[in-house]
Amino acid sequence: MKSPHLDSAPTHVTGLSEYIDDRPFLAGELHVGIVFSEVAHARLLAVDSSEALKVPGVVAVYTANDFDHLMWGTIFQDQPLLAKDEIQYVGEAICLVAAENKEALALGRKKIRIKTEVLPPVLSIREARDRKMFIGSTRTIARGDAEGAMKWARHRISGTLEIQGADHFYLESHAAQAIPLDNGAIEVHSSAQHPTEVQHVVAHGLGMQSKDVICIVKRMGGGFGGKESQSAPIAAYAALVARRLNRPARVILNKDDDMIMTGKRNPFLIDYEVGFDDQGMIQALNVQHFSDGGAYADLSTSIMERAMLHSDNAYFIPNAKIQGTVCKTHMHPHTAFRGFGGPKGVAMIERAMEQIADYLKIDAYDVRRRNCYEGDRNVTPYGQTVENNVLPELFDRLEKSSRYRERRQEIQAHNQKVLSGRFKGQDSGLLRGMSMTAVKFGISFTTRFLNQGNALVIVYRDGSCAISTGATEMGQGVNTRIRMLVQEILGLPENQVRVMPTATDKNANTSPTAASSGTDLNGSAAVIAAKKIRERLAVVARFCENLPRDRWASKTAGLGTEKEAQIQFPEPHSDAKVDENRDYIFKDGKVTSRKNPSWSISFSELTNEAYLNRVSLSDYGHYRIEGLDFNKLTGQGRAFMYYTNGTCVTEVSVDPLTGEVKVLRTDLLMDLGRPINEGLDLGQVTGAYIQGLGWVTTENLFYSKDGKLLSHSPSTYKIPSVQDIPRIFNVELLPNLGNTTNVRGTKAVGEPPLLLCLSAWTAIGDAVRQGNGKPYPNIKIPATSERVLRALKPEEFAAWEGGNA
């Protein structure tokens, strides 16, 4: 069974895919706009809406006092839906304007007068750290004696790594439509990764019960983590207007407002020290992570936890002390982003690998390979065994397939010619660099109760099937994968199975589609439900096989000439385990007897017989990941169900005159177990790498000194274009049949490949190191052209900035 494309691909390419703002306007529907703060920190003294309400077409203005419950938050309820007494960041929502049309809305927003008393803001991690402005407490993961081992280590290096934020830049900005229903309930259509969170925040904010709020997510035009938590208040704004005025309402942010208002990937400041021996074997690691959480907690404490859990990445560290602290600033509350905190921890240790290699004058690949998890060196600093460990194979295979050793010699010879002026021809003045990095990404939510999913599978009399789960489709293909899983169980062709829009009245108490676990959780639940239906259908098939066709219910039930026989079912199985039925083969829309292959029945005919015999054709599946016991207080335990692994070699060129970087070649090898849909997985791998490439090279957020985001549009914020992708891009999946912990032996793909973009960043460092002959450079993320040029020529920039040039 092959289905290489995304289910929505035909409607995407023809422009027929419906997003929130494509939904037709309903009678009386209102446009809702948000008036937000232009200052980072202030006392909110008054909101004057009198002039706005005089604008023809402006219907109402709402402030914090109009919510029944003002505070919300995914982990800590510390954030107001609308600012009330104090403003904490530029872009914080202050009031809502509801209008009959867009023109009245735009003018009404301009007429709102906000009176404030401006207060000094804290806008950097360092300042917040010095002032001890923190969110939550400092967390620690430790093993062995890091301080003692550091003292007796033969060699030590240390460093500070600065990582800026990045914008999600989803193509569909935040959007929501709220429709009041005639029974007092409200229906919310939201571009959200977490419909249950939207349902909860809307219900809580409006003083309603969850049963009275239905959140529906058909699809998103991208999410990348930015719609995991921050969609909820947007939906609450539309719902407040709809509830108060009993009219449909929608909120649609434009790209500028979306970028100004919403949080980004958390900026990090990481101090680290590494002790190692003459061969580069790490003996001790001491790390302190500080992140910018922004004005409110959002998901920053969990993001920090994942950064800590990935500070080892693919490498065994016998003595480690890893600490993490979230700082509170007057910036927009930062939030989930593809990879969560994982890229920060991995960036730190991968840079340390390059520094160790430079210090010892050996190849960085050898340092990585020697430290790689292998054999009995397979337990993480938090005490989890790395099972089904294919990391050594990934390193060894990619070293050979990428011609790493030969290319390393070629690059060194090339750079020597460039530096001596002896190289002539195309790209004669460009330096080159290359690096291989790895990823070992833990798959599961580290908050244990989120590791559950549910699914409703319905089979109709005609043999078609509908699936409802808590997973949300944002272009990553989760609906396609879940559909294919159920297809396999029931043996149906693609055109007989449909995955329905996600809705909280069909799947309750769902987890966000995040942590790369959408298919793992929801697909597993759908498989459980489908297997229960298949088990019952197999019993019906046995009944039909042993009964003359003229006595089947379809021949007698309508006439009432014969009472259907009572079909005896075995004891029902629990959700945790549904046995395979060995007597019948479900394939290609038919059900065939194994013992008597000449007997078969079409799936649609079988489902009709089941219905006429009063056999249930729908079922509910619930799945939870067992065996997770990570203790957040001690920093020890099994945090993840399994790891998705990969390695990547990236070669870059660097122009020493401008600092411009081009990615010449990328060779990427991923372990994804047994893919459900290899085409989709390859798309996720390449897309994740390129998105990460933007994060580490070009996506530079510029803020004014008073905390205003200046780069809030496509013209000032540079995401990767076709010119930025590798000139040669080789992607291969490692065959791995040893992963048996997950549904169908597959492994999650959403986030892990993004972290392999760090090979481009470390390759830039390698080129700079060879170009100026100095120790491995300290280049921030993103490594923009200016920063690369500064790293290449630090003395010239120092002299220029000092006024001596």
Side-chain angles (χ1 to χ4, degrees):
M1 179 184 62
K2 294 184 178 180
S3 181
H5 62 75
L6 191 73
D7 279 359
S8 297
T11 56
H12 284 354
V13 298
T14 56
L16 297 176
S17 294
E18 182 186 75
Y19 297 90
I20 301 295
D21 206 27
D22 295 322
R23 292 176 56 81
F25 271 77
L26 302 174
E29 185 166 352
L30 295 168
H31 298 265
V32 180
I34 304 165
V35 177
F36 53 77
S37 172
E38 300 286 343
V39 298
H41 191 203
R43 291 189 181 90
L44 179 57
L45 303 179
V47 177
D48 183 357
S49 60
S50 57
E51 292 301 313
L53 290 170
K54 295 177 183 178
V55 174
V58 170
V59 177
V61 175
Y62 296 105
T63 64
N65 294 326
D66 291 296
F67 280 104
D68 287 73
H69 297 96
L70 186 61
M71 306 303 289
W72 78 282
T74 302
I75 299 175
F76 309 116
Q77 291 195 353
D78 63 338
Q79 184 171 355
L81 289 166
L82 294 173
K84 188 173 183 181
D85 299 317
E86 188 173 353
I87 293 167
Q88 296 278 350
Y89 64 95
V90 173
E92 183 164 16
I94 296 174
C95 67
L96 310 175
V97 178
E100 302 281 359
N101 53 67
K102 291 182 179 180
E103 294 72 21
L105 177 60
L107 184 56
R109 287 178 65 191
K110 291 180 180 179
K111 295 289 186 178
I112 297 290
R113 295 291 176 259
I114 308 295
K115 185 177 181 182
T116 62
E117 178 188 341
V118 177
L119 302 172
V122 173
L123 300 174
S124 72
I125 294 175
R126 285 187 171 89
E127 185 177 0
R129 183 177 62 181
D130 292 344
R131 294 190 177 200
K132 301 190 183 306
M133 295 173 57
F134 302 130
I135 297 172
S137 58
T138 296
R139 298 272 299 280
T140 302
I141 293 173
R143 172 170 63 188
D145 180 8
E147 294 181 1
M150 194 73 71
K151 290 178 181 178
W152 54 255
R154 185 170 179 82
H155 307 288
R156 291 188 295 273
I157 59 155
S158 61
T160 296
L161 172 59
E162 293 186 61
I163 303 175
Q164 289 184 196
D167 191 79
H168 304 83
F169 215 90
Y170 27 68
L171 294 183
E172 179 196 28
S173 295
H174 278 287
Q177 181 192 36
I179 305 167
L181 304 180
D182 58 4
N183 58 3
I186 192 163
E187 180 178 291
V188 178
H189 294 262
S190 178
S191 184
Q193 294 174 234
H194 196 352
T196 292
E197 179 75 2
V198 170
Q199 179 191 37
H200 169 75
V201 172
V202 169
H204 186 70
L206 273 56
M208 304 171 69
Q209 291 185 314
S210 292
K211 68 177 178 61
D212 298 323
V213 178
I214 304 165
C215 178
I216 300 172
V217 178
K218 186 173 185 178
R219 62 169 61 90
M220 287 164 275
F224 310 117
K227 296 176 180 177
E228 180 175 346
S229 60
Q230 299 197 354
S231 294
I234 304 299
Y237 302 152
L240 175 66
V241 173
R243 177 89 166 162
R244 287 299 186 96
L245 299 176
N246 198 33
R247 294 173 64 175
R250 71 175 67 192
V251 177
I252 308 293
L253 298 187
N254 62 37
K255 180 54 68 178
D256 295 277
D257 289 353
D258 186 285
M259 292 184 72
I260 291 169
M261 294 179 65
T262 61
K264 317 300 176 193
R265 187 185 289 279
N266 293 71
F268 265 63
L269 179 68
I270 307 172
D271 296 323
Y272 61 93
E273 185 178 17
V274 185
F276 52 96
D277 65 14
D278 290 336
Q279 285 70 49
M281 297 287 285
I282 294 178
Q283 296 164 329
L285 172 68
N286 200 335
V287 185
Q288 287 189 313
H289 294 279
F290 296 92
S291 74
D292 182 348
Y296 303 108
D298 201 277
L299 291 162
S300 290
T301 53
S302 288
I303 291 164
M304 174 58 75
E305 180 179 77
R306 188 167 281 264
M308 296 166 63
L309 288 166
H310 285 77
S311 293
D312 61 323
N313 194 25
Y315 313 110
F316 178 78
I317 302 171
N319 301 281
K321 184 178 181 181
I322 304 164
Q323 293 186 301
T325 307
V326 179
C327 297
K328 174 182 168 60
T329 64
H330 295 108
M331 301 291 285
H332 28 212
H334 296 297
T335 191
F337 200 141
R338 196 174 191 175
F340 222 53
K344 320 305 173 46
V346 173
M348 177 276 303
I349 195 65
E350 293 293 354
R351 178 175 158 192
M353 292 292 171
E354 296 284 334
Q355 288 179 283
I356 292 169
D358 182 47
Y359 181 94
L360 295 174
K361 307 305 177 189
I362 59 178
D363 196 290
Y365 169 83
D366 294 320
V367 176
R368 291 182 168 96
R369 184 63 183 85
R370 291 166 188 169
N371 284 282
C372 177
Y373 280 108
E374 189 171 19
D376 58 0
R377 291 163 49 89
N378 68 341
V379 180
T380 68
Y382 46 93
Q384 178 167 347
T385 300
V386 182
E387 300 166 339
N388 184 221
N389 180 18
V390 297
L391 285 164
E393 183 180 359
L394 288 165
F395 270 109
D396 295 343
R397 285 185 58 153
L398 192 61
E399 180 212 0
K400 293 177 182 177
S401 66
S402 68
R403 296 180 52 252
Y404 180 89
R405 300 289 185 185
E406 297 94 321
R407 289 168 59 201
R408 173 61 72 193
Q409 294 178 356
E410 293 167 2
I411 289 169
Q412 289 173 341
H414 169 91
N415 287 339
Q416 288 173 4
K417 289 182 180 180
V418 169
L419 294 171
S420 65
R422 292 184 289 111
F423 191 93
K424 304 298 182 183
Q426 187 178 13
D427 299 334
S428 61
L430 304 183
L431 297 164
R432 291 186 181 179
M434 184 174 69
S435 180
M436 181 191 292
T437 62
V439 63
K440 174 183 66 65
F441 196 87
I443 304 298
S444 295
F445 289 97
T446 54
T447 299
R448 194 175 306 131
F449 65 78
L450 293 177
N451 291 296
Q452 60 177 310
N454 61 69
L456 174 64
V457 176
I458 299 172
V459 176
Y460 296 96
R461 287 181 66 180
D462 64 358
S464 63
C465 176
I467 310 163
S468 296
T469 77
T472 55
E473 178 61 57
M474 62 194 92
Q476 84 281 36
V478 67
N479 284 352
T480 302
R481 291 183 177 88
I482 291 172
R483 187 256 300 159
M484 292 180 71
L485 286 170
V486 173
Q487 271 183 261
E488 285 186 341
I489 300 301
L490 299 179
L492 294 175
E494 178 181 343
N495 62 5
Q496 280 187 238
V497 184
R498 181 183 298 277
V499 180
M500 309 305 289
T502 310
T504 55
D505 60 346
K506 295 181 180 65
N507 298 95
N509 308 316
T510 59
S511 298
T513 305
S516 302
S517 62
T519 300
D520 289 9
L521 297 176
N522 299 280
S524 296
V527 164
I528 289 170
K531 282 185 174 181
K532 291 195 288 186
I533 295 170
R534 186 183 66 180
E535 188 176 26
R536 291 196 294 271
L537 287 174
V539 176
V540 176
R542 182 182 299 111
F543 179 78
C544 290
E545 183 182 3
N546 295 325
L547 190 70
R549 180 177 286 268
D550 60 3
R551 292 185 59 197
W552 287 6
S554 59
K555 311 301 181 185
T556 62
L559 301 174
T561 57
E562 182 175 337
K563 177 183 177 183
E564 71 270 18
Q566 292 297 312
I567 300 177
Q568 299 299 315
F569 287 95
E571 194 70 23
H573 294 280
S574 68
D575 280 6
K577 181 180 180 183
V578 179
D579 290 340
E580 299 285 344
N581 189 288
R582 304 294 181 183
D583 296 335
Y584 293 90
I585 300 170
F586 288 70
K587 188 177 181 180
D588 298 331
K590 293 196 306 182
V591 180
T592 305
S593 172
R594 291 183 186 272
K595 296 178 181 178
N596 179 19
S598 64
W599 187 90
S600 67
I601 183 173
S602 70
F603 187 84
S604 58
E605 193 175 12
L606 179 61
T607 55
N608 189 50
E609 293 297 328
Y611 167 76
L612 294 171
N613 279 283
R614 297 180 291 179
V615 175
S616 173
L617 290 172
S618 63
D619 222 314
Y620 172 87
H622 180 266
Y623 172 77
R624 67 178 187 178
I625 298 176
E626 301 289 355
L628 302 178
D629 62 0
F630 180 69
N631 187 315
K632 292 176 177 286
L633 299 180
T634 64
Q636 294 293 306
R638 184 182 181 88
F640 306 111
M641 180 164 65
Y642 63 88
Y643 297 99
T644 293
N645 308 295
T647 49
C648 184
V649 178
T650 297
E651 180 180 349
V652 302
S653 69
V654 173
D655 189 332
L657 298 179
T658 64
E660 182 183 24
V661 173
K662 293 292 184 184
V663 180
L664 303 179
R665 175 173 169 175
T666 295
D667 295 81
L668 194 155
L669 179 62
M670 286 296 298
D671 156 37
L672 298 179
R674 295 174 55 226
I676 298 169
N677 185 316
E678 187 169 319
L680 287 181
D681 284 4
L682 289 171
Q684 284 288 285
V685 170
T686 54
Y689 175 87
I690 292 167
Q691 184 176 43
L693 196 61
W695 168 55
V696 298
T697 59
T698 63
E699 295 187 30
N700 199 10
L701 291 165
F702 287 92
Y703 293 88
S704 66
K705 291 182 179 180
D706 53 359
K708 294 179 180 178
L709 179 65
L710 303 177
S711 52
H712 52 74
S713 70
S715 63
T716 52
Y717 186 76
K718 188 182 184 312
I719 64 172
S721 71
V722 68
Q723 297 297 323
D724 298 305
I725 65 175
R727 273 53 180 166
I728 300 172
F729 200 177
N730 301 316
V731 179
E732 184 181 356
L733 302 184
L734 177 77
N736 179 9
L737 303 181
N739 176 48
T740 59
T741 58
N742 195 32
V743 59
R744 199 181 167 279
T746 186
K747 285 192 172 187
V749 65
E751 295 171 289
L754 182 140
L755 285 73
L756 293 173
C757 71
L758 291 164
S759 60
W761 175 61
T762 50
I764 293 168
D766 178 60
V768 170
R769 176 188 63 81
Q770 294 186 67
N772 62 17
K774 298 182 182 299
Y776 192 82
N778 183 4
I779 305 178
K780 295 180 183 179
I781 292 177
T784 61
S785 296
E786 180 182 339
R787 287 173 180 160
V788 172
L789 191 59
R790 286 174 175 271
L792 275 167
K793 303 176 181 181
E795 294 90 351
E796 294 183 28
F797 274 91
W800 176 72
E801 290 172 345
N804 299 318

